């Protein structure tokens, strides 16, 4: 299994070990906003931590950790353009496999510009990009994201739109990867299985582990439920492993 979206820097080493023990072989940890990201230097330190420390913690725990580097819409400095200028040297690191977590949250104009700039970098470096959708006004944010994706003309297979639920899956009119986040504040295993069963999309399951309530067993728990429900093996393998492997080129 591959956990395609986590925030390992706020989780314990014991959590990493438990994930390895339950069959998770690879983890992608995405940049986020663990602090008040008031100045660019805070983000640069955050990226350095993900690349330098989290990959090493993964090795110690017996799981292969890769990194996505991005600027999260829930917290970014006013001087974010400096970060766009710094990102290329991080994207060239061998442990960096994607751009993210980016996206829209409050739907401000500045967020939209920030998203566009990160999409342009993803296109320039031919790297996959993880796009956040908010809990509130998810449908409205998703429509705006889709509009921006079409405007910049990014290749569809470079995009994963994350945190999708049963109310928004029908809104996606592009052949992008669809992220299903099994977490108490997003969707539960039952809803994830229902979506995977009823739709034929490029689904990627993840736990989105963070500092709030999360489930380190989200993937094995959902995979077990899929087996109990009798879902075809292809859908189980694709959503828990193959699609994430293909998306991140792992």
């Amino acid at each position: 299994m591959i956990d395609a979206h986590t925030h390992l820097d706020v989780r314990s080493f014991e959590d990493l070990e438990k994930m390895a023990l339950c069959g998770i072989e690879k983890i992608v940890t995405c940049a986020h906003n663990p602090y008040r990201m008031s100045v660019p230097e805070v983000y640069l330190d955050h990226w350095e931590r993900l690349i330098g420390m989290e990959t090493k913690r993964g090795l110690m725990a017996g799981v292969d950790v890769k990194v996505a580097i991005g600027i999260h819409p829930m917290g970014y400095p006013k001087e974010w353009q400096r970060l766009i200028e710094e990102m290329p040297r991080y994207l060239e690191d061998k442990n960096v496999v994607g751009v993210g977590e980016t996206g829209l949250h409050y739907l401000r104009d500045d967020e939209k510009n920030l998203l566009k700039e990160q999409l342009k970098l993803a296109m320039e470096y031919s790297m996959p990009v993880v796009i956040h959708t908010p809990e509130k006004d998810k449908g409205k944010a998703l429509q705006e994201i889709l509009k921006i994706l079409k405007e910049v003309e990014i290749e569809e297979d470079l995009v994963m739109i994350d945190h999708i639920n049963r109310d928004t899956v029908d809104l996606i009119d592009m052949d992008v990867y669809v992220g299903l986040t099994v977490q108490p504040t997003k969707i539960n295993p039952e809803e994830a299985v229902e979506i995977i069963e009823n739709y034929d999309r490029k689904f990627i399951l993840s736990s989105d582990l963070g500092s709030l309530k999360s489930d380190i067993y989200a993937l094995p728990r959902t995979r077990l439920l899929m087996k109990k429900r009798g879902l075809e093996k292809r859908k189980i393998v694709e959503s828990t492993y193959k699609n994430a492997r293909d998306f991140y080129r792992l």
Side-chain angles (χ1 to χ4, degrees):
M1 287 180 289
I2 298 175
D3 197 333
H5 183 165
T6 67
H7 303 300
L8 290 184
D9 55 325
V10 294
R11 304 300 298 196
S12 70
F13 180 76
E14 288 73 20
D15 283 350
L16 270 169
E17 283 190 315
K18 290 173 185 175
M19 294 172 78
L21 284 167
C22 69
I24 293 174
E25 301 169 5
K26 297 179 184 292
I27 297 173
V28 178
T29 185
C30 297
H32 60 129
N33 58 325
Y35 318 107
R36 183 170 172 262
M37 313 303 267
S38 53
V39 293
E41 286 74 17
V42 181
Y43 251 112
L44 295 176
D45 285 344
H46 175 50
W47 293 348
E48 294 281 355
R49 157 94 193 205
L50 296 182
I51 295 169
M53 178 61 73
E54 297 312 313
T55 54
K56 290 178 181 176
R57 289 209 306 154
L59 283 174
M60 293 168 64
V63 62
D64 184 19
V65 173
K66 298 299 182 186
V67 179
I69 292 298
I71 308 164
H72 201 289
M74 288 180 69
Y76 54 90
K78 290 181 180 179
E79 305 85 2
W80 57 263
Q81 189 62 46
R82 271 187 57 203
L83 292 172
I84 296 295
E85 293 167 4
E86 293 282 355
M87 277 182 72
R89 66 185 178 94
Y90 289 93
L91 295 177
E92 291 168 0
D93 189 281
K94 62 179 173 42
N95 286 314
V96 174
V97 297
V99 174
E101 184 178 0
T102 179
L104 296 179
H105 192 81
Y106 305 105
L107 276 71
R108 299 168 181 152
D109 288 341
D110 211 31
E111 283 178 60
K112 296 173 187 178
N113 292 330
L114 179 57
L115 171 58
K116 289 176 187 177
E117 291 300 318
Q118 291 178 89
L119 289 172
K120 289 174 185 176
L121 278 174
M123 293 165 67
E124 181 181 347
Y125 284 83
S126 190
M127 295 197 82
V129 56
V130 181
I131 299 182
H132 164 94
T133 59
E135 293 170 38
K136 185 179 179 182
D137 294 329
K138 187 180 290 290
K140 184 178 179 182
L142 176 57
Q143 296 280 28
E144 191 63 37
I145 287 166
L146 291 166
K147 178 181 173 183
I148 290 171
L149 292 173
K150 293 167 186 173
E151 179 184 325
V152 301
E153 298 182 337
I154 191 170
E155 296 172 53
E156 295 178 345
D157 64 357
L158 288 181
V159 176
M160 175 170 70
I161 302 179
D162 216 353
H163 317 320
I164 293 301
N165 56 24
R166 65 162 66 94
D167 297 325
T168 51
V169 65
D170 278 321
L171 299 177
I172 301 175
D173 60 356
M174 299 176 70
D175 188 27
V176 298
Y177 288 87
V178 178
L180 301 177
T181 305
V182 181
Q183 187 196 82
T185 61
K186 304 246 179 5
I187 62 174
N188 58 34
E190 288 76 15
E191 183 173 345
V193 172
E194 177 189 319
I195 293 169
I196 292 168
E197 184 175 24
N198 292 326
Y199 292 87
D200 197 18
R201 304 297 299 260
K202 295 185 293 191
F203 291 116
I204 296 179
L205 283 163
S206 72
S207 64
D208 194 20
L209 291 177
S211 56
L212 298 177
K213 189 174 183 181
S214 303
D215 181 9
I216 61 172
Y217 303 118
L219 263 69
R221 198 184 305 280
T222 307
R223 185 176 69 168
L224 180 60
L225 184 59
M226 285 192 281
K227 287 182 177 180
K228 287 181 176 179
R229 295 277 178 84
L231 263 68
E232 58 183 293
K233 186 177 180 181
R234 172 185 66 85
K235 287 196 169 189
I236 297 174
V237 172
E238 286 178 352
S239 61
T240 61
Y241 178 75
K242 184 181 182 298
N243 288 343
R245 183 199 64 189
D246 294 348
F247 176 64
Y248 287 115
R249 304 159 195 169
L250 298 173

